[in-house]
Amino acid sequence: SFRRRLERKEKARGLSLPSPGHTAPPAHRLRYLYDQILRESGLEPFRSQATPFVDLLEELVQRHEQPVWVDVGPGYGIALRQGKRHRPQLATYGLDPIDWYGEETARHDRPTIVAEDLWRRFGPELFDPQYGYQRIPAFAEHARLPEPANLISAFYATPYMEDPIKALENLYNQLKPGGTLLIHFYPGLLVWPASEARVRRTQVLTTVVTAMREAIGEEQVELGEDLLRIRRPDERQLRINLTAGRRHETDSGEVRVAYTADPTKPLVQA
């Protein structure tokens, strides 16, 4: 059924969905979203916290008068809406070239299925305009944010990007000093060209992480289970000197993006 397909899609994004008619308070609903992703990353202190993403938002609110959170590929924006409802002082943005919620609900062949399904599980009040967010209709590689961000999250988004490294660079450079970027990567997503694979036995991501640590500080860059956490220590812009080649899928459906490095330049400059 359409509901089951939608549920599978959202579970793949790290959601644990309440059943129809669920009436838990907002804070309880909020903890379902993105917490599992952070716990399973293996990074401290996330793996020892019951609600690490909620705790991260709470920390932002305590430290900043109006913290800015940008979610890359927010889908129907459930996490952003719940964050805004839980802490109204958050300035929330969704970076996505597609307006999933608006386009789905406006289709003439099924104008209300998505909306009614989401309303049943999360409550219609969650979709009140006061809990909405500003959508940035752009790709992460080149998007310009309306304002620098305290937190940028990009969960399960990189396989859909033409150039994930360019997106990483662009998003990092739009963090406020002290801000955090949480971005998902996968071991096989970034590869060296076949001609260089035997020479470069390390993964592209591992190589980039090592170079980033040298450029901005060992303690600023942490790589867990598929999750990269980067803190921006100062105003310096980051430049990653890699060029993306053709994006393709293997026979098993896995995405590959091949990168080449310029031997005349440092891999990462800050």
Side-chain angles (χ1 to χ4, degrees):
S1 71
F2 179 72
R3 174 183 167 78
R4 285 197 295 270
R5 293 198 305 273
L6 179 64
E7 192 170 55
R8 284 197 299 270
K9 175 182 176 182
E10 292 186 339
K11 282 184 176 178
R13 287 177 54 79
L15 309 182
S16 177
L17 300 174
S19 60
H22 186 73
T23 57
H28 179 68
R29 290 182 190 169
L30 180 63
R31 69 182 177 86
Y32 285 102
L33 302 180
Y34 295 164
D35 282 325
Q36 182 179 350
I37 296 173
L38 297 194
R39 282 197 304 269
E40 293 179 351
S41 72
L43 296 174
E44 288 293 354
F46 297 151
R47 65 180 180 180
S48 59
Q49 294 175 308
T51 57
F53 196 79
V54 176
D55 294 347
L56 185 60
L57 295 183
E58 289 289 344
E59 181 182 345
L60 286 179
V61 170
Q62 292 173 9
R63 292 172 54 192
H64 306 281
E65 184 175 346
Q66 189 177 37
V68 177
W69 170 26
V70 178
D71 196 22
V72 181
Y76 296 107
I78 303 300
L80 288 168
R81 295 173 189 277
Q82 290 188 331
K84 186 71 171 179
R85 181 180 180 183
H86 185 59
R87 285 291 178 258
Q89 57 268 59
L90 282 168
T92 50
Y93 298 90
L95 176 57
D96 200 320
I98 300 174
D99 182 5
W100 292 98
Y101 182 76
E103 290 185 8
E104 289 281 4
T105 53
R107 290 180 59 170
H108 296 294
D109 57 339
R110 55 168 190 260
T112 61
I113 291 178
V114 172
E116 289 180 352
D117 190 74
L118 293 172
W119 294 347
R120 282 196 300 270
R121 285 181 288 159
F122 297 102
E125 69 282 355
L126 187 65
F127 298 90
D128 188 292
Q130 66 177 314
Y131 305 131
Y133 58 92
Q134 181 177 333
R135 186 174 71 89
I136 305 169
F139 292 97
E141 293 92 331
H142 308 289
R144 302 311 302 167
L145 304 183
E147 56 183 320
N150 299 99
L151 172 66
I152 301 177
S153 55
F155 299 130
Y156 301 117
T158 48
Y160 303 99
M161 297 175 182
E162 294 291 330
D163 189 344
I165 290 295
K166 180 65 176 178
L168 186 157
E169 176 189 286
N170 184 44
L171 295 173
Y172 172 90
N173 286 333
Q174 296 185 77
L175 287 170
K176 294 180 180 180
T180 298
L181 170 62
L182 297 170
I183 185 167
H184 250 126
F185 280 100
Y186 304 92
L189 174 63
L190 314 179
V191 298
W192 300 112
S195 60
E196 301 181 23
R198 292 184 179 180
V199 178
R200 300 177 184 269
R201 294 185 180 277
T202 57
Q203 297 175 8
V204 175
L205 181 59
T206 305
T207 306
V208 170
V209 166
T210 300
M212 289 185 68
R213 286 171 173 164
E214 294 174 354
I216 64 174
E218 181 82 21
E219 70 283 359
Q220 308 299 342
V221 186
E222 298 175 89
L223 179 61
E225 291 293 329
D226 303 335
L227 184 66
L228 184 60
R229 175 171 59 182
I230 309 172
R231 301 179 186 89
R232 186 177 186 181
D234 49 44
E235 293 280 0
R236 290 179 298 165
Q237 295 280 299
L238 198 67
R239 170 70 179 173
I240 305 177
N241 295 306
L242 283 176
T243 301
R246 186 173 61 90
R247 180 182 182 275
H248 65 278
E249 294 186 10
T250 65
D251 293 339
S252 62
E254 294 179 305
V255 176
R256 297 285 187 271
V257 182
Y259 281 93
T260 55
D262 185 342
T264 67
K265 299 178 181 178
L267 187 62
V268 175
Q269 294 174 285

